[in-house]
Structure formats: C-alpha cells, structure tokens
Amino acid sequence: MRFRVIDIETTGTAQSEVIEIAAVDVVGGSGGWVASRPRSRLFRPVGGISIHAMAIHHLSLRDLDESLGPPSWEALEAFVMAGPRPDVLVAHNAAFERRHMPPSLARRLPWLCTVQAARRVWPDAPGYANQVLRYWRGLDLDPAFASPAHRAGPDAFVTAHLLMDLIACDASLAATPARQEVALAA
C-alpha cells in the first residue's frame, strides 16, 4: 500500500491559487511503515498573495520567481502522480486540498483525511491541528524535514508521521481505501 500525503499553500485570495505543493509517500511493508523525504514545488500565482497567507507560510511574490510559472491543473496532477502510483491520497484537511486539485485527480484515487481519522481515533486530543497532534502524540521528527511549520514540505512530513501513528493505533485505516474515502474524507 502506498499512501501519498500532500499539502499545499495558497494565495489566500478570493481566486485562491496554489503557490506550493509537497508530497511524502508512506509505504507499508514487512518492516512496517516508512515515510519518504518530502518533495515540493513552487508556483508563481497569476494574482497576488494575501497578507494573511504571507503571515502564515512566509511566501511572498519576491520569493516566487517569474520562471516558476503559474499553477495549472496539468502541473498539479503531474506533481501528485510523479513516481510510483499511489493507492490513496492523504491530506490533513482533505476537503481543502481536494478543492485545489484537478477534478480528474480528486476522483481518480480515494482520499484519507487525517483530521477526520484523528477525531475518530483520538477523541480526547486537545485539538486537531497538525502541529498540535504532532506534539501531543510526542512525535520526535527531524527538524530538517519537519520545519518550518506552515510550509508544504514540512507539513506533509508531519502529516505522514501522524498517518503512521494513526495506523499504529487503528490498522483498519490501511485496510480498505474505498471505505476510507467515504468514512474519512470530508
């Protein structure tokens, strides 16, 4: 089973555009679950970036060179589907990520939402934000890959480790991808 955890950062404007996307694969085998290093890509939006979005992910138009090109459905799908084909797409807030993905991609694979899974598996958690769950669960992650928070690569890396922790607590999350989408993707 290959889960592909994705995370995006957007412009936060009325015509919200993806400005960064990242992916981390979580693959199961006889030795358990293993997460890959994050891979990411930046895009230069056609429109601007809201001040609120810049304050969260610390990306401004100065950081996004003209040569990056604007986000497109084709570029997003090519990034997500690069490498071995995933069985399931995963996001910490799958409803948000799905809204920013090409409709063909959003329908092609089942999705697992780690927020929804965490609410079911850990009902006593103090909150369900990615970083809240990371520290509450005591995940000791390499800062080279897990920081800074609110950038696509580190957030996907944290979500990948939350997914492995969720599977360790409830193995059914890895059993039936079709059921996961119905039960866990908001």
Side-chain angles (χ1 to χ4, degrees):
M1 170 82 67
R2 179 177 299 274
F3 291 96
R4 181 149 302 146
V5 178
I6 62 170
D7 190 85
I8 61 170
E9 302 302 331
T10 69
T11 59
T13 57
Q15 299 296 322
S16 190
E17 299 174 75
V18 173
I19 56 175
E20 185 177 32
I21 186 168
V24 173
D25 281 3
V26 174
V27 180
S30 60
W33 294 94
V34 178
S36 69
R37 292 180 173 197
R39 60 184 175 86
S40 63
R41 178 173 176 191
L42 294 169
F43 297 97
R44 178 151 177 113
V46 175
I49 303 172
S50 76
I51 296 297
H52 288 89
M54 284 189 272
I56 292 169
H57 51 58
H58 303 286
L59 289 170
S60 70
L61 288 177
R62 286 190 316 265
D63 303 311
L64 305 171
D65 187 89
E66 296 276 346
S67 67
L68 294 171
S72 67
W73 287 142
E74 294 80 17
L76 291 168
E77 186 161 353
F79 179 88
V80 171
M81 295 306 292
R85 187 181 193 280
D87 299 299
V88 179
L89 296 177
V90 179
H92 194 62
N93 179 354
F96 179 79
E97 260 73 9
R98 282 178 80 158
R99 277 195 308 270
H100 291 86
M101 290 293 112
S104 60
L105 181 63
R107 290 188 304 266
R108 184 182 309 160
L109 293 167
W111 285 69
L112 189 148
C113 178
T114 53
V115 169
Q116 296 298 323
R119 288 178 198 271
R120 184 170 60 79
V121 174
W122 303 318
D124 58 337
Y128 294 95
N130 211 18
Q131 297 295 335
V132 170
L133 290 170
R134 169 193 179 179
Y135 290 107
W136 180 68
R137 294 297 297 166
L139 300 180
D140 184 22
L141 303 177
D142 184 342
F145 301 119
S147 297
H150 305 299
R151 287 294 303 271
D155 284 358
F157 190 73
V158 169
T159 300
H161 286 81
L162 286 172
L163 173 64
M164 291 187 296
D165 194 18
L166 282 161
I167 291 170
C169 292
D170 183 351
S172 73
L173 291 171
T176 53
R179 219 178 69 222
Q180 291 169 355
E181 182 175 27
V182 172
L184 301 174

